[in-house]
Amino acid sequence: MIIVLIAIIVVAILVYLGIVSYQRYLLKQVEDLLNRKADIGESPVRKKLMEVSSMNLTGSSAVGLDNIRNDYQEIIDHRLPEVEDIANHSKQDINDMKIFEARKEVATVSESLDAIDEEMRRLSDQLDNIKRIDQEQRDAVKILRMKYQELRKTLLAKNLTLGPSIDLLEEKLSRLDDDFETFSETVNSGDHETAETQLQKLRTSTEELESQIKAIPALYENLINVFPDQIDEIKDGYDQLINHNYAFEDDFVKDELKQIKGKISDNLETLSNLRLDAVRDNNKSIAIRIDDLYDILQTEIDARKSVEHNFNVITRFLDHAEKQNKVLLNEIERLDQSYVLSNDQIAVGQNLDAQLNEIRSEHDRDTEQITNQPVVYSAIVDRLKDENAQLNEIEEKQSNLNDELQGLVDSEKDARKRMQQYDGEIHNIKRHVEGLNLPGIPEGYMDYFFVVSDEIEKVASDMNQVRINMEMINRELDMVSTDIQTLTKKTTDLTDDAAISELAIQYANRYRHSDEEVDEASQRAQKLFDTDHRYSESLSVISKALEQIEPGAMDNITENYYQQKRTEY
């Protein structure tokens, strides 16, 4: 029992000590929060607020400062005293052992001070921003004042390089001065928001004026010096070329120079109105037109050099082509006595002659023009190029036609060789067939033989004419070549069928007395051979009979025949 009492007493002492310790902890927190509250009351915001208030702000800046001042007074007069009251009340609750209430109050004070801290930082930043903007705008006043002084000096120094734009530039600078004075007054009045708007406008206008002053001299230089000098140079060059017998097709050089001068004058007016984008575009257009005129003059200068270098070359080329064509026409006339020429060959020669006559006429006109009157050399260059192309084409056609004409003689030689060859072959075939000593020749074979023989005789007759048609003769020889091949095949078939049939009939004699069918087939085959001269049918009849009585006999007979055959057919 005593032990239990002792334990209870110990626990009670420990609880008491814990409560006392926690009371001290909470009191320490309250003291820290009150010190923090005192620090906030002594914040630099008060000093900054006094400094900014002394600026005598106006407009929206003054309204903003009033808002800051009201927010600050709200904190000082109400929110901080409320926090102090809660803190003091929490101390009383701690002493009265109202631990849980005191803990909530301490948390409330801490959170309130955190919010007030954040608000004071915001107010401080806003005041700093007002001071910064005020300083920046006052610095801008100094910078712009110096810049306008520099611009005024620049306008005075560059007066001659700015041309007719100087008046408007000075007006713009004067307006900027007026706007600057208004801005300066606004800055001094403390209306920062209005001053900021004015400052942005001043900066934009100033940058634009600086850009114009920088860009105008080059634009004006082109209009007042570069372009006029180029125009004078082109005019002098043009006059010199005219004096040296040059001419220009659709000559508009003088008119174009006059129009360009008008454009320059118009663009100076545009420059005086400070429409610099339009001036740039117009200058580009003027430069292109001037370059085109330079190109026109240079084209004629280069063309004359080309004419002087190439005119005699084309003259010699034309002389050569005419001589060649004369030789070609003579050759056509000569060969026309011996050969039937195609209409194309005669027409080509005549057309080439007509083309050369046209080229000669054009070339002679250019020769006279170069000698006696002003010349558009570029036009002559174009004609020389065209004449050169035509002469190259004519030369190629002359060469092809000459090859065709010379080929007639070679073609005749080849045709006579072929005819002799075919004539020899048909005579060989005739001798071979006669040498077979056959009882007769099939009528169809003889008909075909005479057809081929007649074809060869016709070719020989055509080749013995005064004027021979090689195109027709070559077609006839091609036909003869095909028919000779066919006749050769027919001769070979005739020879083989007759020989093998005769061998088979002889071989079948051994079976005639023992086999009635073989005997009958032999008689039929012999009749077809001796009387009808149908050697292929004869071979067919005897072959069937032998194969029935002795399979393979015909293969042996045929094989032995071809092994011993020595003739071509």
Side-chain angles (χ1 to χ4, degrees):
M1 185 65 180
I2 294 174
I3 295 173
V4 173
L5 288 172
I6 292 172
I8 292 171
I9 293 170
V10 170
V11 170
I13 293 171
L14 290 174
V15 169
Y16 175 76
L17 291 175
I19 291 172
V20 171
S21 176
Y22 192 63
Q23 279 181 310
R24 290 177 179 175
Y25 168 74
L26 289 176
L27 287 171
K28 178 66 170 61
Q29 276 194 314
V30 171
E31 288 299 325
D32 290 342
L33 290 172
L34 287 173
N35 290 334
R36 185 177 169 193
K37 175 260 177 188
D39 291 340
I40 292 174
E42 297 299 324
S43 169
V45 171
R46 179 179 179 81
K47 181 180 179 181
K48 290 181 181 180
L49 188 58
M50 292 175 64
E51 291 174 354
V52 173
S53 296
S54 67
M55 293 180 181
N56 297 320
L57 301 180
T58 61
S60 59
S61 299
V63 173
L65 178 60
D66 287 341
N67 291 334
I68 294 172
R69 186 183 293 110
N70 292 335
D71 290 344
Y72 177 76
Q73 287 304 131
E74 173 67 19
I75 292 171
I76 298 300
D77 295 342
H78 298 97
R79 293 174 67 179
L80 286 178
E82 287 177 1
V83 168
E84 185 175 11
D85 289 345
I86 296 172
N88 290 329
H89 191 270
S90 68
K91 287 171 68 176
Q92 183 64 42
D93 286 340
I94 292 170
N95 292 328
D96 293 343
M97 298 297 287
K98 297 178 180 179
I99 300 302
F100 293 106
E101 289 84 349
R103 187 174 62 182
K104 289 181 181 179
E105 290 166 345
V106 168
T108 299
V109 170
S110 179
E111 291 173 0
S112 297
L113 288 176
D114 287 342
I116 292 171
D117 259 340
E118 181 64 28
E119 184 69 8
M120 292 294 276
R121 278 194 294 272
R122 181 182 69 80
L123 297 177
S124 179
D125 289 343
Q126 288 179 344
L127 290 169
D128 288 340
N129 190 51
I130 291 174
K131 292 169 67 177
R132 178 185 59 78
I133 291 174
D134 183 77
Q135 187 60 47
E136 286 179 354
Q137 290 179 349
R138 293 182 184 279
D139 291 342
V141 169
K142 297 176 183 178
I143 293 171
L144 287 174
R145 180 176 286 110
M146 293 174 59
K147 187 175 290 291
Y148 294 147
Q149 290 174 354
E150 291 173 2
L151 287 174
R152 188 169 287 104
K153 291 178 182 178
T154 301
L155 285 178
L156 183 62
K158 291 187 175 182
N159 186 289
L160 295 178
T161 66
L162 296 172
S165 63
I166 186 67
D167 293 337
L168 271 187
L169 291 174
E170 289 177 345
E171 287 182 20
K172 289 187 71 171
L173 182 58
S174 178
R175 287 197 297 271
L176 282 177
D177 278 339
D178 294 341
D179 292 342
F180 168 73
E181 291 302 327
T182 302
F183 166 66
S184 180
E185 291 172 1
T186 305
V187 171
N188 291 331
S189 72
D191 188 352
H192 293 158
E193 185 174 350
T194 302
E196 187 64 25
T197 302
Q198 293 172 344
L199 176 61
Q200 294 305 320
K201 182 180 177 181
L202 276 172
R203 283 174 173 166
T204 300
S205 299
T206 303
E207 289 173 1
E208 179 182 309
L209 180 60
E210 286 180 312
S211 175
Q212 290 173 337
I213 293 174
K214 183 178 180 180
I216 287 171
L219 298 173
Y220 182 62
E221 174 67 14
N222 281 333
L223 292 169
I224 202 67
N225 289 321
V226 176
F227 293 157
D229 288 348
Q230 290 175 334
I231 288 173
D232 290 341
E233 185 178 35
I234 290 171
K235 184 180 182 305
D236 291 343
Y238 172 81
D239 291 340
Q240 290 181 31
L241 292 181
I242 293 298
N243 291 334
H244 285 80
N245 216 33
Y246 282 82
F248 297 85
E249 196 165 4
D250 298 327
D251 191 352
F252 60 90
V253 174
K254 288 186 176 180
D255 289 340
E256 179 68 356
L257 288 174
K258 184 177 179 180
Q259 290 181 21
I260 291 174
K261 287 180 180 179
K263 289 294 182 182
I264 292 173
S265 178
D266 293 343
N267 213 26
L268 285 169
E269 180 66 23
T270 305
L271 183 63
S272 70
N273 294 322
L274 295 182
R275 294 169 51 210
L276 299 193
D277 287 340
V279 173
R280 289 189 187 91
D281 292 341
N282 291 336
N283 273 8
K284 288 179 182 178
S285 176
I286 291 170
I288 290 171
R289 293 174 71 170
I290 288 175
D291 287 342
D292 288 343
L293 289 178
Y294 273 118
D295 289 342
I296 289 172
L297 300 187
Q298 190 62 46
T299 295
E300 292 305 317
I301 293 171
D302 295 341
R304 181 166 185 169
K305 294 177 182 178
S306 179
V307 168
E308 290 173 349
H309 181 267
N310 294 310
F311 198 85
N312 289 334
V313 174
I314 297 299
T315 300
R316 291 192 294 273
F317 196 176
L318 179 57
D319 292 342
H320 173 74
E322 288 174 332
K323 290 177 182 178
Q324 286 291 102
N325 216 64
K326 186 176 181 180
V327 171
L328 194 59
L329 290 174
N330 289 337
E331 184 68 3
I332 290 174
E333 184 177 355
R334 184 184 70 80
L335 291 175
D336 194 44
Q337 306 299 316
S338 302
Y339 299 97
V340 175
L341 301 181
S342 71
N343 291 332
D344 287 345
Q345 291 168 333
I346 296 173
V348 167
Q350 294 172 344
N351 289 338
L352 293 179
D353 195 54
Q355 275 186 270
L356 288 169
N357 287 335
E358 289 181 7
I359 295 173
R360 171 59 70 181
S361 297
E362 182 179 72
H363 199 67
D364 288 345
R365 285 195 299 272
D366 285 339
T367 302
E368 183 179 356
Q369 189 175 25
I370 292 171
T371 306
N372 299 321
Q373 54 190 310
V375 180
V376 181
Y377 285 100
S378 58
I380 293 181
V381 166
D382 291 340
R383 288 195 290 273
L384 288 178
K385 289 179 180 178
D386 184 57
E387 288 168 3
N388 184 66
Q390 289 185 66
L391 289 172
N392 278 312
E393 184 178 353
I394 287 171
E395 187 176 53
E396 183 178 357
K397 289 181 179 179
Q398 286 175 336
S399 177
N400 293 338
L401 181 57
N402 185 64
D403 290 343
E404 289 179 15
L405 295 175
Q406 297 308 313
L408 289 173
V409 178
D410 296 335
S411 181
E412 181 186 359
K413 292 178 181 178
D414 291 340
R416 291 191 182 279
K417 287 181 182 179
R418 290 176 69 188
M419 189 186 69
Q420 290 175 1
Q421 176 189 340
Y422 299 151
D423 187 63
E425 287 184 14
I426 200 166
H427 280 88
N428 289 338
I429 289 172
K430 181 180 180 183
R431 285 195 299 271
H432 172 76
V433 173
E434 289 174 348
L436 292 176
N437 295 318
L438 296 174
I441 306 300
E443 184 177 349
Y445 177 87
M446 288 304 298
D447 289 342
Y448 198 84
F449 178 87
F450 287 124
V451 167
V452 177
S453 180
D454 290 344
E455 288 176 351
I456 293 174
E457 288 180 5
K458 184 177 186 309
V459 173
S461 175
D462 290 340
M463 292 192 70
N464 288 328
Q465 300 297 316
V466 175
R467 294 173 71 241
I468 60 178
N469 188 333
M470 287 309 306
E471 184 178 355
M472 180 186 70
I473 287 171
N474 283 324
R475 285 201 304 270
E476 291 175 345
L477 286 172
D478 290 341
M479 185 168 62
V480 170
S481 174
T482 300
D483 290 344
I484 281 286
Q485 292 177 21
T486 302
L487 181 61
T488 299
K489 177 67 169 57
K490 288 179 177 294
T491 303
T492 300
D493 291 343
L494 173 65
T495 301
D496 294 343
D497 288 346
I500 296 173
S501 178
E502 188 172 19
L503 290 173
I505 291 172
Q506 292 174 359
Y507 188 85
N509 285 337
R510 67 183 66 184
Y511 295 110
R512 291 183 64 181
H513 298 295
S514 59
D515 191 296
E516 185 177 345
E517 290 184 0
V518 173
D519 180 51
E520 183 180 347
S522 294
Q523 291 181 27
R524 286 179 57 212
Q526 194 67 51
K527 179 179 181 302
L528 289 168
F529 191 96
D530 294 335
T531 305
D532 299 333
H533 314 139
R534 290 154 63 183
Y535 304 111
S536 176
E537 293 182 33
S538 173
L539 175 60
S540 178
V541 170
I542 195 64
S543 294
K544 289 180 181 178
L546 281 176
E547 282 302 309
Q548 288 179 356
I549 194 170
E550 185 181 339
M554 284 307 302
D555 289 339
N556 292 330
I557 293 171
T558 302
E559 183 179 354
N560 289 333
Y561 165 74
Y562 283 117
Q563 288 178 352
Q564 297 175 16
K565 183 178 180 180
R566 296 290 181 268
T567 62
E568 179 183 357
Y569 305 104

